[in-house]
Amino acid sequence: MDTLHESHFPHTPRPMTDQIDTLLTEQRSFSPDASFQEAALGAADLYAAASTDRLAFWADQARALDWITPWKEVLNWTLPHARWFDGGQLIVAANCLVRLLHGPRRQKAAIMWDGEPVDRRVYTYWDLAREVGRAANALKTLGVTKGDRVAIYLPMIPEAAIAMLACARIGAIHSVVFGGFSAESLRDRINDAEAVALITADGGYRRGQVVPLKRFADEAVVGCPSIRDVIVVRRVGGGEGGASETFASMTEGRDHWWHRLLEHASADCPPEPMEAEDILFILYTSGTTGAPKGIVHTTGGYLTHTTATTKYVFDLKDEDVFWCTADVGWVTGHSYVVYGPLAHGATIVMYEGAPDWPDRDRFWSMVATHGVTVFYTAPTAIRAFMKWGPSYPAKHDLSTLRLLGTVGEPINPEAWIWYHEQIGKERCPIVDTWWQTETGGIMITPLPGVTTTKPGSATKPFPGIEAELVDAQGRPMAGGGGFLTITSPWPGMLRTIWGDDQRYQETYWSRFPGRYFAGDGAKLDEDGYWWILGRVDDVMNVAGHRIGSMEVESALVDHPSVAEAAVVGKAHDLKGQAIAAFVILKEGQTASPSLRDDLRDHVVGKIGAIAKPEDIFFCGDLPKTRSGKIMRRLLKDIAEGRTLGDTTTLADPAVVSRLKEMYGEE
Ligand code: PRX
C-alpha cells in the first residue's frame, strides 16, 4: 500500500450524511472574521517569525511566562529525546495563580463552577490561590514531597483543579484518572506510577445519580501497596457524619476528609521551584497493547505550549469567559481547563455533569448564565445537540459567544455547519483543533481572524509546528491521503512513557524513523489544508474517548467463558465509533443474551462504562493472517456492513465470508 485513500478510514464518523463523500466534495469555506483583526495582526506575524527561526519563536513564547532562572539552551534534541529550556527554573503555581494576585484583578473570577444538581460556586484568583496553598500544605503534612506521584480520581469539581495545582506547587507529579474509569483501571494506573497518595471524593453526580467514587477507590486501593493516604472530598454527603457515610466509609489512619485537612492548613505554602524539565504530570492513555501508557509531560515546555496556543487559538482577552467542556481526566481538561487558561488569568467555567441534565439545554443555559464568550467542545457532543434539535439552544441568549472550538475527533462538515449556524449564529469563527495526549497542546488549527476555514478541516499547523504527510514508506507527499507525521520537536511534546522509554521509542519514533508518528491518517488538499481522517492503528475513538482494541479484548478474554476476542470500532452516528466485539467462547459454553450482558458488565468492571461494547457477536472463528494476526480491518468491514476488503492474505478466506453472512443475520 503506497498511499492511503479515504476508503482506508472507514471509521470516520458518518452521522446524518456520508462523511467520506462529503469530505471529498466539501467546497465551502469561511473567510476570517473582521472582528478578529487585532488577533490577526499579532498572529500573522507569528507564522513568519516561526518559519524564519522556529526556536527563537518558541523562546519568545516561553518569555511570556515568569521564570526565576533563565534557561541556558532553548532545545537540546537527541532524537527522540527533547529537553526544552534546559537550565531554566519556574514556578507553575506562580504562573497559573499568583500573576493576578498583586494587582487590582485579584478578585477576578478564576473558576465559575456549576454542579449538576444546579449548585454553584465561584472562586476568585485570590480564593483559588488560598485553597491551592492549603491543599499543598495538607499534602506536605502527609509527607508528600517533590517527585512523589499523587493520583487524582475526582468528579468535575473545583477541587480537581485545586488538587492538580497543589501538586504542582510542591513539585509532586499528578496522575489524574478519569472518574468514569473502573476500580481496576484506577488500580493499574496507581500501581504503574507507584503513587503515594490518592485524592478522591465520596461521589459525584451524573444524570441525577451518584457515582460512588470512594467505593471504587476503596476497591482499587486494597491492591495498591504504594498508597499511604487517601484524601476524600465531600461532594455528595451532607454534614459531618451525615449521608456521606453511605458513600464513603473511612479507613482509620489511611483516609482523611479533604475539608478537615484544609481547615487546619495554612494558606501560605512557599512554592517549589521547578526545573523546566521536571515532570509536571503523568496522564495515562490507550495504545495498541492491553496496557495504557503513562504519558510524561514536563514543566517549562508544556506550559509554554499550552499558554501560547491558548492565547492565539482562543484569542483570550481579559474579559473573556472561557468554557472548555472537557473533563480534567483527559488531556484537554489539563491543557485547556486548567493550565493554559489559568496561566492567562482567564475566567473559566467548569461543569460537573451531563449535557442533558436536567434537560437538553443545560449547556446553553450555562452559556447564557455565565456569559460564556469562548466555547470549546467535542464533535460527539455537537452531534448529540444536532439530534436533539435547534429548539434547545434557541431558548437561550447565546449572544455573548464570539468564538467556538472543537477537539477530539474528526468533525463531519454537517455538524460543523450546524455548530456555525445554530450556536455561533454565523458570527463566530470555529477552530477545529487537532492534537493528542502526547502532543500536550494544540498542533493543527485555524487561528481566528487569520485562517480561512473549511468545515471538516483542522487547516494548518500552529506556528512552530512542522507536520508532514508521508506514504507507507515514509516518503513525503505533497497531497492526497497518507500518514500524519511531525518532523521536529515541539515544547509540549511527551518526553517519554513512564517507566518504559523503550516503548516510547518504538511507539512513536520507529514506524517512520526520525519522525513522530501520531497514529492518524490524514489528507492534504490542494491548498495545503489538513483533513484528519482518524486512527490507522488499533485505537478506537468512542465519543471522543480513546480506547485500545486490545484493552477491551483483554477484558473480554479475562471472562471465564471466553476463549478469544477481537474488537473493532464501527461507525456510529453520535459517538463517532462504537465498540463491536467478536467473541469465541470456550468449549462447552453456550451463547445467550444473558452471557452477552454478563460480558458487557465484565468489560465495564475491568475498564469502565466508556468501554462497554455496543455489539457482541459470538462466532466460531476469526479471520487471521497466515502468521496468526487477527485482521481487524475485515471485522470492521463486517461490522459496518461494507463490501469486504482484500482477503488474500488470510489463512482461511472462507472464515470471513461465513462471518459476514452470520453477522448480517443477527
Ligand atoms: O485521532 C485523533 C483524534 O484524537 C486522537 C487523540 O486522542 P487523545 O489523546 O485522547 O486526545 C484527544 C484530545 C486532544 C488523535 O490521534 N483527534 C483529536 N483532535 C482531532 C482528532 N481527529 C480529528 N480532528 C481533530 N480536531
Side-chain angles (χ1 to χ4, degrees), residues 156 322 324 326 328 332-339 341-342 348-350:
M156 271 299 275
F322 181 59
C324 163
V328 288
T332 311
H334 283 58
S335 302
Y336 300 107
V337 174
V338 179
Y339 289 110
L342 294 182
I348 62 162
V349 171
M350 259 176 105

Side-chain angles (χ1 to χ4, degrees), residues 285 330-332 376 406-411 432-438 444 458 518-520 532-535 541 544-546:
T285 190
W330 307 108
V331 74
T332 311
Y376 189 35
T406 77
V407 60
E409 45 175 327
I411 182 164
D432 173 356
T433 61
W434 175 85
W435 58 294
Q436 306 175 299
T437 307
E438 291 87 342
I444 301 183
D520 279 311
I532 313 296
L533 299 170
R535 306 288 305 196
N541 193 331
H545 297 154
R546 189 165 151 179

Side-chain angles (χ1 to χ4, degrees), residues 60-120:
D60 270 348
Q61 301 310 314
R63 271 182 218 108
L65 300 173
D66 295 333
W67 295 77
I68 42 180
T69 313
W71 58 84
K72 295 199 172 63
E73 194 179 15
V74 176
L75 171 66
N76 179 321
W77 177 229
T78 317
L79 195 129
H81 294 114
R83 297 183 68 82
W84 282 88
F85 312 115
D86 227 0
Q89 278 191 320
L90 71 169
I91 293 173
V92 179
N95 277 292
C96 289
L97 289 174
V98 183
R99 286 172 142 203
L100 291 194
L101 287 190
H102 304 294
R105 291 185 302 160
R106 67 184 190 176
Q107 292 304 352
K108 177 178 176 177
I111 300 179
M112 301 203 283
W113 173 81
D114 276 23
E116 196 191 67
V118 207
D119 43 344
R120 179 163 294 162

